[in-house]
Amino acid sequence: MSPNNLFIRPCTTDDLPSLAKLHQAAFSGPRHDFIYGNVSPPNRLQSLSNHFAHQLADHTHAPHPQHMHSLCVIDPSLSPSTPIAHAVWIYLPLGYLASADLDTQSTFLPPGIHKPLMHDFHRLTGELRRTHAEPGEPYWLLALLATHPEQEGRGAGSMLIEWGCRRADEMGLKCCVDASVEGYPVYRKRGFSEQVGVLDLDLEEYEGGKGYGRTRWVALCRPPKTASS
């Protein structure tokens, strides 16, 4: 347990409603409203819950299975003890190919969402993932990280980043993340020093997107640290 009494545990299906609410709070504003289009808030929550349920499912049937670790940070002083931060770390094993990445497929898109934009986003995300490593090279991927806005500044996000970095170091593997503009300095500070790719998505190219501008993600990788480094 950390000095501020926060601790990490695996997420369960019981957490799905809380995780959906956490992400809806963490990723809000005019741009997200534009992307969700005519999807009502309850249907947004259900779509998020479906997506996170998929991440908790067993993917070991794949030829080179992704090992997904859906993790929650809990503050035991809160009642009820619901997640205040959430991350998904994925171990991509030897032989893994980004072209078969389950996490970049356009699944669980609710009716009313801006489908052309979301399909392009998933396609471009798949292309960005291909910059992380050589085909078949194993590594760890931080696929998702969110902290509830009311709980920011407490170190929950840092705990989740460090969780995966430690495991990557133990295996002698690099770890990667597709960082937003806001998250870029955070990951650079944590040792994600190698910039390997960029994804630019111009929202103004889509119907109704005028005035929303361009959004960017940068693929960053962190080399493994040894005891002497």
Side-chain angles (χ1 to χ4, degrees), residues 36-228:
Y36 272 102
N38 297 320
V39 183
S40 66
N43 285 341
R44 290 191 198 185
L45 290 173
Q46 186 60 55
S47 174
L48 288 166
S49 181
N50 291 343
H51 178 67
F52 299 142
H54 171 72
Q55 290 177 327
L56 289 174
D58 181 7
H59 299 294
T60 56
H61 60 278
H64 301 288
Q66 300 178 17
H67 299 274
M68 293 193 180
H69 301 266
S70 186
L71 306 166
C72 300
V73 173
I74 301 296
D75 181 349
S77 69
L78 297 180
S79 182
S81 294
T82 56
I84 67 169
H86 174 223
V88 175
W89 275 99
I90 309 177
Y91 169 58
L92 301 168
L94 182 68
Y96 158 82
L97 296 175
S99 58
D101 196 328
L102 298 171
D103 197 48
T104 62
Q105 297 176 11
S106 300
T107 54
F108 309 115
L109 296 182
I113 202 168
H114 203 309
K115 286 190 176 181
L117 190 158
M118 289 303 296
H119 285 307
D120 283 349
F121 170 74
H122 284 96
R123 175 179 57 80
L124 292 169
T125 298
E127 293 177 5
L128 191 63
R129 293 274 172 91
R130 294 181 180 91
T131 68
H132 293 169
E134 295 296 324
E137 177 188 357
Y139 71 100
W140 281 82
L141 169 67
L142 178 54
L144 183 67
L145 178 66
T147 300
H148 195 287
E150 295 177 359
Q151 302 295 334
E152 290 178 350
R154 301 186 61 194
S158 295
M159 290 171 62
L160 291 167
I161 294 172
E162 291 169 2
W163 185 96
C165 290
R166 285 197 302 271
R167 281 152 183 78
D169 290 343
E170 290 169 359
M171 298 175 70
L173 299 177
K174 67 180 176 183
C175 45
C176 301
V177 64
D178 297 332
S180 64
V181 172
E182 295 80 9
Y184 181 87
V186 175
Y187 295 115
R188 293 281 295 186
K189 184 178 179 181
R190 295 286 172 182
F192 290 78
S193 57
E194 299 178 359
Q195 180 172 322
V196 297
V198 175
L199 184 162
D200 281 314
L201 192 63
D202 189 351
L203 301 182
E204 301 203 12
E205 293 182 354
Y206 298 89
E207 182 179 356
K210 187 171 178 59
Y212 289 107
R214 183 183 297 270
T215 187
R216 166 171 285 196
W217 290 266
V218 179
L220 297 172
C221 292
R222 172 188 176 276
K225 291 185 177 181
T226 61
S228 58

Side-chain angles (χ1 to χ4, degrees), residues 9-22 49 52 56 70-72 74 81-83 86:
R9 66 161 171 78
C11 300
T12 70
T13 54
D14 291 338
D15 296 313
L16 293 176
S18 296
L19 294 178
K21 291 177 181 177
L22 186 160
S49 181
F52 299 142
L56 289 174
S70 186
L71 306 166
C72 300
I74 301 296
S81 294
T82 56
H86 174 223

